[in-house]
Amino acid sequence: MFSRITGIGSFLPGEAVSNDDLARRGIETSDQWISSRTGIRFRHLAENGETSSDLALEASRRALAGAGLAASDLDLIIVATSTPDYIFPSTACLLQSKLGNHGATAFDVQAVCSGFVYALTIADKFIRSGSHRRALVVGSEVFSRILDWSDRATCVLFGDGAGAVVVEASEQPGILATALHADGAHHGILSVPGSVCGGQVTGDPFLRMDGQAVFKFAVRVLAEVAEECCRAAGISPADIDWLIPHQANIRILEATAKRMKLPMDKVIVTVDRHGNTSAASVPLALDEAVRDRRIQAGQKILLEGVGGGFTWGAVLIEL
Ligand code: ACO
C-alpha cells in the first residue's frame, strides 16, 4: 500500500500588499532593502477576524474538488499551523466542522515552517499502515497576527495563506520517500516566546528571530535533508525535476540549489509574491506550479521545509 496526492488547492487572502505599501503604512523600510535582501515584493494579509481555519477551508475545498471527493469521504484531517484559531480545539477540528465532516481523525501539527512536510509524512504513514485511506493535509497560517509591526527586521518577511492536498491510498507509489528531523537546542534563534497564563499574556507574544543564524542553519539542513531523502528513494538530487523548498527568502533558496548543484530553473519560487507563509508556503508553491503546468505527471518533486524548533524535513513525490 502506498499513498498518492490526488488533489491540490490553495488560497491567499485579500489583495497583494507591496513593499511600498508597507512603507506607506509607516514601517521605516523600502522596496530596495526588502527585495534585495529577501526577494520579497508582495505578501497577502488576512483581514481582522479571518483565521487559519477560514483560509484552510478555501484551500481544502479546492483540493477536494481536484480529487473529486466530498468532505464526508475523508477519514483523516491534519492541519499544520503555528497560528491556530484557538489554544484549543485544534484548527483541524474547526476545519472539520466548517467542511461538514463527522468522525474523521483530526489533529494539528506544530512544526512551524516545516509543518506541511511533517503533516504530509504523518499522513503517508497513516495510509501506508492501512488504518486510513483518504487524508486532507493542510498548511494554513495567519502569521500577520504574531508579527511585531514595529520590528522592521521581521514584519516585512511574512505573509498569510493556506495550501491543501488530498492524499489517498494507492497501489502506485506517489510519496516516494520522506525524512524528518528536529533539534530543540536551536529553539532560541526563531520563536514566539510567549504564552497565556492566569488570563494574561506572559513573555513575548511576537515572533523573534536571529536572522543570520537562521539563514546559515536553513541552508545547511535543506541541502543535507534533500540528499538524505533522495538516497532513501535510490535517486540522486540531479534526478529531481522540481525542488520546492520552504519559501523563506530567495537567498536561502539560491544557496540551497547551489549546494545541491541544481539550476534555479528547477526551483519553484513564490516568495517574491507570497512572502514567507510558514507551513503554507510549500503547498501554495506546489499548487501554483501544477496549475501553470510546469509540473507534469510522472515528474519527481522534492518538497522541503525548515522552521522554528528547529525542525526540518523533505518529502519526495511523484504526481
Ligand atoms: N528595512 C530597512 N532596513 C532594515 C530593515 C527593513 N525592513 N530591517 C532591518 N534593517 C536594517 C537594520 O536596522 C540594520 O541597520 P543598521 O546596520 O543601521 O543597524 C541593517 O538593516 C542590517 O540589518 P541586519 O539584521 O543585519 O540585516 P541582514 O543583512 O542580516 O538581513 C535578513 C536580515 C533579511 C532577515 C537576513 O538575516 C535573512 O535573510 N535571514 C534569513 C532569515 C529568514 O528568512 N527567516 C525567515 C523565517 S525563518 C524560516 O522560515 C525558516
Side-chain angles (χ1 to χ4, degrees), residues 27-30 33-34 37-38 113 152-154 156-158 190 207 209-215 218 246-249 251-252 276 278 306-308 310:
I27 297 165
E28 206 182 314
T29 190
S30 65
W33 193 97
I34 300 171
R37 279 185 170 71
T38 71
C113 305
R152 63 181 181 170
T154 54
V156 301
L157 303 176
F158 296 89
L190 178 61
L207 182 148
M209 176 177 76
D210 175 344
Q212 288 172 14
V214 168
F215 190 101
H246 167 51
Q247 306 281 314
N249 178 316
R251 294 189 303 154
I252 292 179
N276 180 345
S278 187
V306 57
F310 246 69

Side-chain angles (χ1 to χ4, degrees), residues 163-175:
V165 297
V166 172
V167 187
E168 294 188 69
S170 160
E171 284 173 10
Q172 298 296 319
I175 294 183

Side-chain angles (χ1 to χ4, degrees), residues 1-4 123-134 167-176:
M1 183 64 72
F2 298 102
S3 74
R4 191 173 195 92
D124 177 55
K125 291 184 189 300
F126 267 71
I127 288 172
R128 289 171 71 124
S129 77
S131 67
H132 291 69
R133 294 192 62 81
R134 294 195 186 101
V167 187
E168 294 188 69
S170 160
E171 284 173 10
Q172 298 296 319
I175 294 183
L176 306 177

